[in-house]
Amino acid sequence: MISFQKWKELENRLKINKTIDEEHLRKIEKHEKYWHQILERLIALVRVLGTQNLAFRGSNDALFASTNGNFLKFVENLAMFDPVMCDEHIQKIRDKEIHANYLGKTIQNEMIQLLSNGIQEKILDDVKTAKYFSVVLDCTSDVSHVEQMTIIVRFVSTSEDKKFEIKEHFLGFIPVSDTTGGGLTAAVLNKFEELSLSVDNLRGQGYDNGSNMKSEVHDALMDIAENISLTGSSGNVSRLEAQGLAKQVGTFSFVTSVLVWFNILYKINLTSKLLQSQEFDLAAASQHLDKAKKYLQSLGNDEEFEKLLVDGREISEELGIPANFESSSAPKCLKKKNRQFSYEGKDEPIRDEKQSFKINFYVAILDTAINSVEERFTQPKEMELKFGFLYHFRSLEGKPSKFVLDKCKALEKSLTHNEVKDINAIEPCGELQAMSRRVPEDSSPKGVLELLLKSDLKESVPNLVVSLRILLTLPVSVASGERSFSKLKLIKTYLRANMTQERLVGLATISIESEVAKQINLGDLVSSF
């Protein structure tokens, strides 16, 4: 009877969930919910500090200390209004009921890395959904002279509401010891393998490796030259060198040289600003680059050179500098060269300082600038030749089928790797001819793709859609890579310079990809914590 009674009591408790196991489970779930709420608030705080480029730590790691930094100060203020933080967490910390409070510097790093990983996973999911992507790489040295390479991925994202967007996202910094082409390639391939990105879907690449420096040269040199605190042999040498350089800066040749650089860099800067938009296409880029090249070529005539000298004289007179080229003590001797034929003339040294400046500096600088423009943008021009016909849909309406087919075959060849083709030349040829009669005048590739998606024609003209997506994926410039380094410098300036590489990259990811960070579900991150 006693056993039967216990059996029935257990049966009833099981029906109404009143067993010891169930009570333990409820306590565990309550405890889990408590920490879930705490961590969700702390990760949200990490997201705010990271996106706003605010420092986390102060000189003290204790709660309610005057110098404990932004993270703990935000926690204290949050506790004033949030019962979860105030009544439970902060009170338990004060009463020393808990020792693991998740407010220390170590857990901050873990939460930064957790949020950074969540952002990166979201970006990688979008890239894999888009399939085709391009990569933008840029390198610069940090304060420890270690070469850092930033990786930016570019792709075309489509949404369920039949809209698409050209996106560029930051995937991290890579320290590289080998800056040769082979070394950088190996670093990129290793990173792709780490991120599970297939190189087979890579359709475009953009590279850069340079830096810009500017300063008030003359004033800085004079400050050094007149600095009496620089004593001893090294100090005297520095002052003498600064005096010599300052003397060279205060000459008509230097003023004219600055004007030459200003005219060149001003035009290049305008073109560069236009190319920095992620919406800019290859056709427009080629047009602006051609204009920049023609402008540089036009500076080479005698009329433009004389205009330069007039401007140089006006500035020199305002600065109190003699408006004439300084004569050297002796003409520069030319290297003796054996003449192989009797009709060859002798090379004579240039004695006219104006002509020497024009030939040895002005013309040489222009030639270098023109060659740099041609070399730097060879790939965009080549891509424009392959994809250029896609910028002129309406013009294809009256073209012979053979003309369109030849263009499609050339595009098919450029989009073929290891016998794997992105498109079939015959199919896009028919699709192009059919669509050329249906698109508005002056339709851009972006406008055509938008029309195809809105009209539910994605499945009807698949090869054309793939071609347009790949075209819009190709990068025009490496501006996004340079912007990531600017953001990195900002983080190093306003945050702690001695932070670990993982924390630095994590904060850079949160800051650069702040819009993606806002889309991250914090509850999902906490569940994976």
Side-chain angles (χ1 to χ4, degrees), residues 306-350:
E306 292 299 329
K307 289 181 181 178
L308 173 73
L309 297 182
V310 172
D311 294 338
R313 291 189 181 98
E314 291 179 358
I315 296 176
S316 297
E317 290 174 0
E318 293 178 2
L319 298 175
I321 297 174
N324 58 281
F325 289 104
E326 304 76 18
S327 59
S328 57
S329 58
K332 184 178 180 180
C333 296
L334 300 177
K335 185 178 180 180
K336 187 175 181 181
K337 180 181 178 182
N338 295 328
R339 290 183 294 162
Q340 298 180 357
F341 304 98
S342 59
Y343 57 79
E344 286 185 320
K346 293 183 178 181
D347 292 332
E348 296 292 337
I350 300 174

Side-chain angles (χ1 to χ4, degrees), residues 407-423:
K407 291 290 185 182
C408 291
K409 285 183 177 179
L411 182 58
E412 176 194 327
K413 184 178 180 181
S414 66
L415 297 179
T416 301
H417 179 66
N418 292 336
E419 299 183 355
V420 177
K421 303 177 181 179
D422 291 330
I423 62 172

Side-chain angles (χ1 to χ4, degrees), residues 167-228:
K167 293 184 176 182
E168 291 184 352
H169 288 295
F170 170 78
L171 289 182
F173 296 110
I174 307 176
V176 290
S177 56
D178 184 359
T179 57
T180 63
L184 296 179
T185 300
V188 173
L189 292 177
N190 290 336
K191 187 65 175 180
F192 280 0
E193 184 177 355
E194 176 188 330
L195 299 176
S196 300
L197 281 178
S198 175
V199 182
D200 293 336
N201 295 326
L202 180 65
R203 293 296 178 271
Q205 305 164 59
Y207 305 96
D208 191 19
N209 191 359
S211 60
N212 295 319
M213 291 169 41
K214 59 181 180 180
S215 62
E216 300 292 337
V217 179
H218 185 269
D219 292 342
L221 291 172
M222 291 305 299
D223 288 342
I224 297 173
E226 297 171 359
N227 189 350
I228 58 176

